[in-house]
Amino acid sequence: MNLPLFIARRYFFSKHKKQFINVISILSMIEVAVGTIALILVLSVFNGLQELIQGLHDTFNPELKVEPIKGKSFEVTPHLIKKIEAVPGVKIVSEIIEDNAVLRYKNGQMVVKIKGVSENYLEQTRMDSAIRKGEFALYKNGRPRAVIGQGVQYTLAIGLRNDFDALQLWYPKKVKKITLGINAEKKLINKKAIFPIGVFSLEQQYDASYVFVPLKFAANLLQYDNRRTSLEIQLKEKADTDATKEGIKEVLGNNFKVLDRNEQQANLLKAIQIEKLFVYITLSFILLVASINIFFSLMMLMIDKKKDVAVLLSMGASAKTIRKIFMMEGGIIAFSGAIIGLLVATTLAILQQKYGFIGMGTSTTVVEAYPVKLKPIDFIFTCITIVLITFLAAYYPARKASQIDVRENLT
């Protein structure tokens, strides 16, 4: 039998002479439970939101993306495309041109990001789920069409069924010498008109700025000729992303970088992790408050049980044994609350996943209810936090109990 654990359990469940010791112990346990529930639920919601945001970005971002290490663009030839397509695991290689341009519609104008995509981009089907109006198409009746972000549509009040007012895209020409005069505008600015065919909605940074157009249209407007800003690659089903990535690197050499989805949104993921860390630290203070009550509970218990401790010491119990009794008493209070908190938090998270009873509070969000995802790592860090806080709260009372004077408390 583990004597320290046995005595600690007796102390926890027994009625003390001073009833407020029981009350403080129960309150401490409840506070640990509440802190645990808050920590697990908030981190789980954070996990759900992170997964949702990543999913939205994954719709826009390709599985692999090729960009030049130096410069903004690079020359693309059919031979280069074939070499990449020959890499095991590669399914589709789409050519991309991205650059800023001025979009004018009726009396309004704004700066947008033009994304010219090759026709096989449609085969990747990533953006199909993001279409809110119209369709994702690059041509209709042989004429180029544009797919615009919902934010762009709202800003300029663009109508899809308006066959009279086209989108006017302006881009400065590459000229060696700027001349002023009557025809200066024609000499300095490229202008092209295109009608919208669809509206997509993913995430604000994309919705408020992106306009998809055919690759040839973008190349003519932006004067890129056979140069591209990136290549977006879709992999075959069950293809090994890392192996395919390394294969493409070998083909392209050291002048290009090949980015997977995590690398494409590295800044976003880093920001999310930092925010989650601060949330974890902030909510850990709730458990710290509970530990203060555990400290006072053990201090009063030590005072109340001075005679019992003196008897144990006189019977040959070591100071280490006394310390263990009070450390375990603190552990029982903390871990009873923690277990209750973990069970309640898990139950609430599962119910939220299934029924979504806590909504986002607005009808304009991508999902109606807060997304929740339980992760084992959150449980592990919560338990570690509780262990550390319990140790810190119980150490001083346990040490003081082991230093009780036997003669003074047995007389």
Side-chain angles (χ1 to χ4, degrees), residues 304-403:
D304 187 49
K305 299 297 182 180
K306 276 186 177 182
K307 189 172 183 179
D308 291 358
V309 172
V311 170
L312 289 172
L313 289 171
S314 66
M315 293 175 64
S318 65
K320 184 178 180 182
T321 301
I322 302 302
R323 284 197 299 270
K324 282 184 178 180
I325 292 171
F326 283 84
M327 293 293 288
M328 287 182 178
E329 176 74 9
I332 289 172
I333 295 171
F335 284 102
S336 297
I339 291 170
I340 294 170
L342 291 173
L343 290 174
V344 172
T346 302
T347 302
L348 291 175
I350 292 172
L351 290 174
Q352 176 68 10
Q353 285 177 334
K354 190 173 183 179
Y355 300 108
F357 52 83
I358 300 179
M360 299 287 281
T362 174
S363 60
T364 59
T365 53
V366 179
V367 290
E368 295 180 359
Y370 277 100
V372 174
K373 184 178 181 181
L374 293 167
K375 284 187 177 182
I377 190 67
D378 294 334
F379 287 81
I380 293 170
F381 274 103
T382 299
C383 290
I384 291 173
T385 302
I386 292 169
V387 169
L388 291 174
I389 287 175
T390 303
F391 176 81
L392 293 174
Y395 178 76
Y396 182 77
R399 188 169 67 86
K400 291 293 289 183
S402 68
Q403 296 173 349

Side-chain angles (χ1 to χ4, degrees), residues 42 232 351:
V42 172
E232 296 191 359
L351 290 174

